[in-house]
Amino acid sequence: IGQGNSQAHNYGVLQEVNGKTSKSGQLSLKGWYGSNYHQIQPLMITFPEQAQEGDEIFDRNLRLVAEYAHFFSKGVLSTGVGYVWDYQLFNESDVIETQRGFANAQYEWNLGQNSILMAGGTGSYIVPNVWSYEADLSEWRSDVFVSFRPKLFEGWTINLNARKTFVPFTNTPIAP
């Protein structure tokens, strides 16, 4: 006797293209799509001869990212933009869907053999489509950061970080 309510079907496609745009520039384009279906087995029952139905989840995900890096003599500028779509259907009735667009930029300075300083930020715009949320809901999120990594002596480094996140309806503290 096989396990009932235990089917699973998964597939996906991943594509990545990288190339030099100049002597000191590099561009990356990445795309990923995945589709997953699986049944969730019901709780164990006392009478195994009684059929019980389980739940089903169907997920689809799409991620698209473009990144650019420019290499300078004392550092690297990295930027990126992207789009993420997540979709989940539970038991053919409850939908949870999210679309996100994002952008980021950071610069990494080489301060000599023993130290690196990084600074940058990110921003994202999120649009959920969830049966339990009110309609036309969206949110902006962003953050900035700075990081300092000196090499103290052979075999020892320390990493000092500070990050400030900006989200609606609250004031978040600076995180070390």
Side-chain angles (χ1 to χ4, degrees):
I1 296 176
Q3 289 285 60
N5 298 311
S6 61
Q7 290 185 32
H9 306 279
N10 304 308
Y11 68 88
V13 176
L14 172 65
Q15 180 64 52
E16 187 171 327
V17 177
N18 300 294
K20 290 187 125 192
T21 58
S22 67
K23 192 174 183 178
S24 55
Q26 181 176 318
L27 180 65
S28 296
L29 302 172
K30 302 171 187 177
W32 177 78
Y33 176 79
S35 178
N36 304 295
Y37 167 81
H38 61 274
Q39 293 177 326
I40 302 170
Q41 291 181 324
L43 298 174
M44 192 166 63
I45 59 174
T46 309
F47 304 103
E49 65 277 357
Q50 292 178 342
Q52 272 191 311
E53 290 188 24
D55 295 316
E56 298 177 321
I57 293 181
F58 177 61
D59 293 311
R60 289 185 287 178
N61 311 92
L62 174 67
R63 287 157 177 50
L64 303 170
V65 177
E67 298 173 320
Y68 177 74
H70 192 87
F71 299 88
F72 297 93
S73 62
K74 292 286 185 176
V76 179
L77 172 65
S78 302
T79 61
V81 295
Y83 172 77
V84 176
W85 173 69
D86 293 315
Y87 174 87
Q88 182 180 81
L89 178 62
F90 180 75
N91 283 344
E92 299 182 7
S93 62
D94 295 334
V95 172
I96 297 174
E97 181 180 24
T98 304
Q99 296 183 67
R100 291 172 283 177
F102 62 88
N104 60 39
Q106 78 174 34
Y107 193 86
E108 182 177 314
W109 288 272
N110 183 350
L111 302 176
Q113 282 186 332
N114 297 325
S115 299
I116 294 174
L117 178 66
M118 288 191 311
T122 63
S124 62
Y125 182 66
I126 305 163
V127 179
N129 176 18
V130 180
W131 60 271
S132 63
Y133 289 6
E134 62 185 67
D136 300 322
L137 191 64
S138 64
E139 179 177 289
W140 280 98
R141 291 183 176 207
S142 59
D143 61 47
V144 293
F145 72 92
V146 64
S147 177
F148 180 59
R149 189 175 65 216
K151 182 176 181 182
L152 300 177
F153 46 88
E154 192 61 38
W156 287 86
T157 58
I158 189 168
N159 200 353
L160 305 170
N161 301 298
R163 179 178 296 271
K164 173 67 175 163
T165 300
F166 303 94
V167 294
F169 312 115
T170 189
N171 184 17
T172 60
I174 295 175

